[in-house]
Amino acid sequence: MAEEKKADCSPEGIAHKLARPNILALAPYRCARDDYSSGILLDANENPIGPTALPTQSTTNSLSLERYPDPYQITLKHKYLQFRNASTQLTPDNVFVGVGSDEAIDLLMRIFCVPGVDNIVITPPTYGMYKVSAAVNDVEVIKVDLTPDFDVRVNE
């Protein structure tokens, strides 16, 4: 049984094969929220008294503004899956939540591109952040022009 469970937990898929070895070797970051779900977490830089009451004269902290949001976004991912993919087998582990496409583009390059070795292909006109993230991550940019019909020019 233990051997069967081990097989279930083994990494698989193309992403695992393409990711840089140093990324795969990273231990996941553990935050205070991993171990505690309530209380004042001073080591997480949380404010134990909440936001100031001066602007609103409020004596309550109903918004919990002194707390960081869930770093794993589990509730948000569940709600998204309920809204978008109720009939699929997806789980929150299959969903990436970022702070916009800039973060996703940067993370993809950091995880899969070896600085100074790998490259990306862009097809202008395109989103400018590809070039910015490539420069930050020391990844070469190869531009491939499009035809007037917006097809990729291959071997011209």
Side-chain angles (χ1 to χ4, degrees):
M1 182 72 168
E3 195 64 36
E4 184 178 328
K5 183 171 182 148
K6 186 177 180 183
D8 291 343
C9 296
S10 65
E12 56 185 78
I14 191 70
H16 185 266
K17 293 175 184 171
L18 295 174
R20 295 168 42 202
N22 62 311
I23 301 296
L24 294 173
L26 288 172
Y29 171 75
R30 291 191 50 81
C31 67
R33 291 277 173 238
D34 290 340
D35 300 320
Y36 305 99
S37 60
S38 63
I40 298 168
L41 303 177
L42 294 177
D43 64 328
N45 293 321
E46 292 185 346
N47 177 353
I49 59 173
T52 180
L54 295 176
T56 62
Q57 298 301 312
S58 172
T59 58
T60 65
N61 183 19
S62 62
L63 297 178
S64 297
L65 295 176
E66 82 285 1
R67 301 285 186 225
Y68 283 106
D70 173 10
Y72 306 107
Q73 310 94 15
I74 299 300
T75 302
L76 175 63
K77 290 176 180 180
H78 275 293
K79 289 191 180 293
Y80 176 75
L81 289 171
Q82 288 171 353
F83 171 74
R84 186 74 178 127
N85 294 311
S87 64
T88 69
Q89 298 298 317
L90 293 177
T91 69
D93 288 339
N94 302 117
V95 178
F96 170 80
V97 177
V99 292
S101 58
D102 293 3
E103 180 185 26
I105 291 166
D106 180 62
L107 286 173
L108 285 168
M109 287 189 203
R110 281 199 268 164
I111 292 168
F112 297 109
C113 295
V114 176
V117 173
D118 288 327
N119 61 63
I120 63 166
V121 176
I122 63 171
T123 54
T126 191
Y127 185 47
M129 199 61 192
Y130 294 117
K131 285 173 44 176
V132 172
S133 288
V136 167
N137 289 290
D138 193 19
V139 173
E140 179 188 9
V141 175
I142 298 173
K143 295 179 189 175
V144 176
D145 292 326
L146 298 175
T147 69
D149 293 327
F150 289 96
D151 292 324
V152 175
R153 294 179 189 258
V154 180
N155 296 328
E156 283 188 14

